[in-house]
Amino acid sequence: MTDVQMPDSEPQPAPPAAPPLSALHHLKEIASVIEAGSLSKEVRRISRAVRLTVALRRRLAARDVSAFLAFALPPSSEAYSRLTSLVPKEDETEMDVDAAAPATQISIKHGLPEIEIYCSLLVLIFLIDQKKYDDAKACANASIARLKNLNRRTVDVLASRLYFYYSYVHELTNSLAEIRGNLLALHRMATLHRDELGQFCRYLFYLGKIRTIQLEYTDAKESLLQAARKAPISARGFRIQCNKWAIIVRLLLGEIPERTVFMQKGMKEALTPYFELTNAVRIGDLELFRAVADKFASTFSADRTRNLIVRLRHNVIRTGLRNISISYSRISLADIAKKLRLDSENPVADAESIVAKAIRDGAIDATIDHANGWMVSKETGDVYSTNEPQIAFNSRIAFCLNMHNEAVKAMRFPPNSHKEKESAEKRRERLQQEEELAKHMAEEDEDDF
């Protein structure tokens, strides 16, 4: 029986991969999503368009933005002439043809306010990324003036991003004081429209800073922690600033932040100076505190927290004194000055005044023997026989109840959701949006939107 030889079959070449879609084509798709959201009055579609823009912004070039403006806005409109004048011009020979676009062309309806506001937002983001802050400020001012003439709920999502960049670009150019009145007016309007989350976060942050400067540390801590918790996940830079100020305020209150605060995703490197500062305060080592303050002086100055860190010196001394009172039942004031590393002209007198003030404020439970120059610590009693556990427990319960109430207020439900059954098409669209949102959250540490 002879073997049958099979002809050698050559491997079939793999089909060529489809060329990636250009940034211009993605912008056109985003415009069609905004148009659908505007016509159907579905705000979630506008929110989806903003998320898609976040993923696309790093790929944008001036030619893409110019071509998109020509596609989305009527050539004779005031918005088109104003926005195109702000976009940097490129050599016409470098203009790429949108060859990757599919055969089906995308078209949108001209004249929609949502499209116009989105174009303004796109140009504003592009100018900020290109560090053209003066042009970005002009674009932001004109866009905010245009928003005052619109009263459409489908514009609110885009308007909230414009408000953010309006404030941000003035902050970058050190001209934030010029628009303080406008920001307060915009906050009032956003509150009336019940679309105040972005503005409310910034309000809480600045309120926390003001209260910190006014020595109202307890209220400042609450405002800063709420701002960090309510801020969007993608606003990493804003949340870092909130955490920096909250750490300083907690140290000024005599609290030591948990290690997990400094290990949050995407924040570890930025919070390293504050971690070392917290360690110095926790130990009560004045020399180490000075070394950390000098080592990261430029960082603290850039964060505008250097003056607050100067206030921490007293807390470091008090913490060290508390550790001494726990370790020694009786110790001389001269030894206290030596252990606290006081470098004044009369360290013993300074140590005596520091101990007296700590006793008066209730930081330590001790007495001063002026005749012999000693500090005598009293025996540590049972803390559970005092009201301190009840006070701590009550504060934690109040915090949880407040968070629950805010969560209930923030919940939103689609109308008639209990009556309508979800169709297959709506289910696919919902799953696609959830997948895009998950991808956007996974890439949060790559941009500071």
Side-chain angles (χ1 to χ4, degrees):
M1 188 173 181
T2 59
D3 295 335
V4 179
Q5 294 184 352
M6 299 294 294
D8 295 336
S9 58
E10 297 181 357
Q12 297 293 331
L21 295 177
S22 66
L24 176 58
H25 182 77
H26 283 297
L27 287 174
K28 292 179 180 180
E29 289 183 337
I30 292 173
S32 65
V33 172
I34 294 176
E35 180 189 34
S38 173
L39 298 178
S40 61
K41 301 188 184 306
E42 293 185 80
V43 179
R44 60 187 178 86
R45 292 180 182 268
I46 313 294
S47 301
R48 179 189 174 197
V50 173
R51 293 197 300 269
L52 293 174
T53 307
V54 173
L56 186 64
R57 62 184 292 186
R58 299 187 186 278
R59 294 174 49 192
L60 292 178
R63 58 178 175 271
D64 300 320
V65 178
S66 298
F68 177 71
L69 294 177
F71 164 79
L73 298 174
S76 59
S77 64
E78 183 273 336
Y80 176 77
S81 58
R82 172 171 52 84
L83 295 175
T84 51
S85 64
L86 296 172
V87 179
K89 300 297 186 293
E90 290 190 355
D91 191 354
E92 295 295 332
T93 59
E94 296 181 1
M95 295 287 286
D96 293 338
V97 179
D98 195 7
T104 56
Q105 296 297 322
I106 301 175
S107 61
I108 61 171
K109 180 181 179 182
H110 286 170
L112 291 176
E114 291 80 4
I115 297 293
E116 178 186 341
I117 298 302
Y118 175 76
C119 290
S120 300
L121 175 62
L122 183 68
V123 172
L124 178 56
I125 293 175
F126 177 75
L127 292 174
I128 292 176
D129 289 342
Q130 299 296 315
K131 302 188 185 310
K132 298 183 180 296
Y133 298 136
D134 292 334
D135 291 341
K137 189 195 295 189
C139 179
N141 292 336
S143 301
I144 295 300
R146 176 72 176 99
L147 275 175
K148 292 180 180 179
N149 299 323
L150 298 176
N151 186 20
R152 295 163 67 100
R153 300 288 69 78
T154 47
V155 176
D156 288 345
V157 176
L158 300 171
S160 66
R161 304 316 308 163
L162 271 176
Y163 296 155
F164 169 79
Y165 285 111
Y166 173 61
S167 174
Y168 181 57
V169 74
H170 281 81
E171 190 172 337
L172 290 174
T173 54
N174 294 322
S175 57
L176 198 57
E178 299 176 4
I179 61 169
R180 187 174 293 123
N182 287 342
L183 290 178
L184 292 174
L186 290 172
H187 179 258
R188 286 197 302 270
M189 183 176 66
T191 304
L192 292 174
H193 292 166
R194 299 183 180 274
D195 188 43
E196 68 274 16
L197 180 57
Q199 289 291 324
F200 188 52
C201 289
R202 297 182 69 83
Y203 166 76
L204 288 173
F205 174 62
Y206 288 115
L207 181 63
K209 293 177 71 173
I210 292 172
R211 287 174 170 171
T212 302
I213 295 171
Q214 295 175 342
L215 308 181
E216 300 173 5
Y217 297 137
T218 302
D219 294 337
K221 170 190 168 185
E222 182 179 352
S223 297
L224 291 168
L225 291 179
Q226 280 192 11
R229 190 173 65 249
K230 291 176 177 293
I233 296 177
S234 58
R236 181 167 58 94
F238 178 77
R239 290 190 295 120
I240 288 175
Q241 288 298 320
C242 290
N243 278 279
K244 287 178 179 179
W245 279 76
I247 290 168
I248 297 294
V249 170
R250 293 184 66 181
L251 291 176
L252 289 169
L253 283 170
E255 303 176 6
I256 302 298
E258 301 80 7
R259 182 179 289 267
T260 53
V261 173
F262 305 94
M263 301 301 170
Q264 299 179 64
K265 182 179 178 182
M267 300 187 187
K268 184 176 180 180
E269 183 178 353
L271 296 180
T272 297
Y274 295 86
F275 175 75
E276 295 191 20
L277 186 71
T278 301
N279 188 48
V281 175
R282 180 182 63 84
I283 298 172
D285 190 334
L286 192 58
E287 194 67 29
L288 178 60
F289 173 77
R290 292 196 192 102
V292 173
D294 293 338
K295 178 181 177 182
F296 298 105
S298 59
T299 302
F300 296 143
S301 297
D303 294 337
R304 299 182 180 179
T305 56
R306 187 172 178 82
N307 290 337
L308 298 178
I309 291 170
V310 172
R311 299 183 191 177
L312 279 175
R313 181 180 180 275
H314 179 70
N315 293 63
V316 177
I317 295 174
R318 177 171 291 191
T319 302
L321 182 61
R322 189 183 300 115
N323 294 336
I324 292 172
S325 68
I326 294 173
S327 302
Y328 296 89
S329 60
R330 186 179 66 182
I331 184 173
S332 67
L333 295 174
D335 289 339
I336 291 177
K338 190 180 297 183
K339 288 183 178 295
L340 293 179
R341 301 182 183 181
L342 301 178
D343 54 358
S344 59
E345 295 180 358
N346 192 350
V348 176
D350 288 346
E352 184 176 0
S353 64
I354 290 171
V355 172
K357 189 174 188 305
I359 293 173
R360 185 191 66 187
D361 296 342
I364 60 174
D365 192 7
T367 58
I368 299 178
D369 186 346
H370 295 281
N372 297 316
W374 292 337
M375 181 187 77
V376 181
S377 301
K378 297 180 181 179
E379 293 186 5
T380 305
D382 183 12
V383 69
Y384 290 100
S385 63
T386 66
N387 292 331
E388 288 188 20
Q390 180 183 358
I391 295 172
F393 192 51
N394 180 67
S395 65
R396 294 179 182 181
I397 292 175
F399 175 80
C400 293
L401 290 175
N402 185 41
M403 180 180 292
H404 173 266
N405 293 336
E406 291 179 358
V408 171
K409 291 178 182 178
M411 293 176 69
R412 297 180 180 180
F413 301 94
N416 301 324
S417 59
H418 61 289
K419 298 180 181 179
E420 300 177 356
K421 291 185 178 181
E422 189 177 36
S423 64
E425 182 180 354
K426 288 186 177 181
R427 176 179 173 79
R428 282 196 303 271
E429 184 178 355
R430 178 175 59 82
L431 292 176
Q432 182 183 2
Q433 292 183 14
E434 291 176 357
E435 183 180 353
E436 291 174 355
L437 180 59
K439 183 178 179 182
H440 166 64
M441 293 173 64
E443 297 174 349
E444 63 168 326
D445 55 349
E446 296 181 3
D447 67 283
D448 297 328
F449 190 78

